[in-house]
Amino acid sequence: MDRRGVVVFGGANLDVLARSTTRAVAGTSNPGRVVRTPGGVGRNVAENLARLGTPVRLVAAVGQDDGGARLLEQTRAAGVDVDLVRRVGAATGSYTAVVDSDGELVVAVSDMRATELLGPADVAAAETAVAGAALVVVDGDLTAAAVDAALGLAARHGTAVVLEPVSVPKARVLAPVLDRWPVRTVTPNIAELAALSVPEDDPDPPGLEEQVASLHARGVEQVWVRMGPEGSLLSTPDGLTHHASVDVEVVDATGAGDALLAAYCHALLAGAAPEEAAAYGQAAAALTVAGPHTVRPDLSDALVRSLL
């Protein structure tokens, strides 16, 4: 079978991004600007992939409200196949973030009730898409049951999986999944790595390299640890490599990780080695934080390569 493209299982919601025009002060009103855009880790990854030129299908859940209709329309217009997105009774999910004047996140509130209604039956409806895909991306905003179903479906069809933990609490819930199904790549930050690999009550946790080694021992081929401004560490069977972040002026850090992951997957499918794909991902992340958009609307393969 000639496999191509990516199937993304994950969150789709509306982002409300509030940026303070001065250094944010807790407990009071801050002057700033508010922008509303389509969001969600899985949806953002899918849009980034589409803009880079990779065929992509999104499996997600949105409400039967105006917000859900608008989100689907804008995501489809960006080049993502949204035919497998389910419309549910809950309100379309939302992610409200307050960003400081330097572009760094101050606080965020996520309402993912619609995404939580995406169940194993909805995952099963994507079987034909998964069977024909070159890669499956799963984000931790899904319920544990949905993640388990997605990884099981990919395993049955021999489709490689990239797992994005999303947060520390969700990484702890996802940790047992790594013992049940094959996962080619896991993309945690440092805190999520510990949540995936170290018992919560461990009084003497091992160091980062030992944590990475424990994931390899559980069958994960590539562990890509994101470290924000410090870049990332990629561990493969060939060893551990550091990939520096590209030096740009940060306008808004929101969406950097989604661009990083999408670009990495795009480069792998184009034939790049994991180390080359990681560098490509860092360039895409830099382009994203250098602008005001969660997903950069002018993102393209040529633009990313201009930074390499």
Side-chain angles (χ1 to χ4, degrees), residues 12-23:
N13 51 251
L14 296 172
D15 281 352
V16 180
L17 304 177
R19 177 169 180 151
S20 178
T21 51
T22 60
R23 176 65 65 181

Side-chain angles (χ1 to χ4, degrees), residues 97-118:
V98 177
V99 178
D100 215 337
S101 56
D102 61 1
E104 293 299 320
L105 181 67
V106 175
V107 67
V109 176
S110 179
D111 179 353
M112 302 298 292
R113 284 173 292 177
T115 295
E116 291 165 1
L117 294 176
L118 189 80

Side-chain angles (χ1 to χ4, degrees), residues 12-18 34-41 43-44 70-71 92-97 109-110 112 254-255 258 293-295:
N13 51 251
L14 296 172
D15 281 352
V16 180
L17 304 177
V34 177
V35 178
R36 294 169 176 83
T37 61
V41 172
R43 197 219 67 88
N44 290 347
R70 186 167 65 254
L71 189 152
T92 296
S94 63
Y95 173 78
T96 303
V109 176
S110 179
M112 302 298 292
T254 308
D258 304 334
H293 302 281
T294 302
V295 177

Side-chain angles (χ1 to χ4, degrees), residues 106-240:
V106 175
V107 67
V109 176
S110 179
D111 179 353
M112 302 298 292
R113 284 173 292 177
T115 295
E116 291 165 1
L117 294 176
L118 189 80
D122 303 302
V123 172
E127 182 164 10
T128 299
V130 169
L135 195 65
V136 164
V137 174
V138 180
D139 91 45
D141 278 326
L142 302 181
T143 64
V147 171
D148 194 75
L151 268 59
L153 184 61
R156 286 197 294 278
H157 291 283
T159 310
V161 172
V162 177
L163 180 63
E164 164 53 48
V166 176
S167 71
V168 168
K170 290 170 182 176
R172 294 202 184 281
V173 172
L174 292 177
V177 171
L178 298 178
D179 297 319
R180 290 198 292 273
W181 303 110
V183 174
R184 175 179 292 180
T185 307
V186 178
T187 59
N189 62 25
I190 290 176
E192 292 160 1
L193 172 65
L196 287 170
S197 59
V198 181
E200 193 170 4
D201 57 355
D202 191 331
D204 186 25
L208 185 146
E209 290 194 27
E210 288 79 9
Q211 293 175 28
V212 168
S214 75
L215 294 186
H216 285 314
R218 293 160 70 185
V220 179
E221 183 178 332
Q222 301 160 2
V223 182
W224 194 19
V225 186
R226 298 170 302 168
M227 303 185 297
E230 297 179 14
S232 60
L233 288 173
L234 176 67
S235 182
T236 71
D238 295 326
L240 188 69

Side-chain angles (χ1 to χ4, degrees), residues 78-95:
V80 179
D81 185 327
V82 296
D83 289 349
L84 292 171
V85 175
R86 179 187 169 201
R87 305 295 295 273
V88 298
T92 296
S94 63
Y95 173 78

Side-chain angles (χ1 to χ4, degrees), residues 247-260:
D247 188 20
V248 295
E249 182 178 349
V250 176
V251 174
D252 188 340
T254 308
D258 304 334
L260 191 83

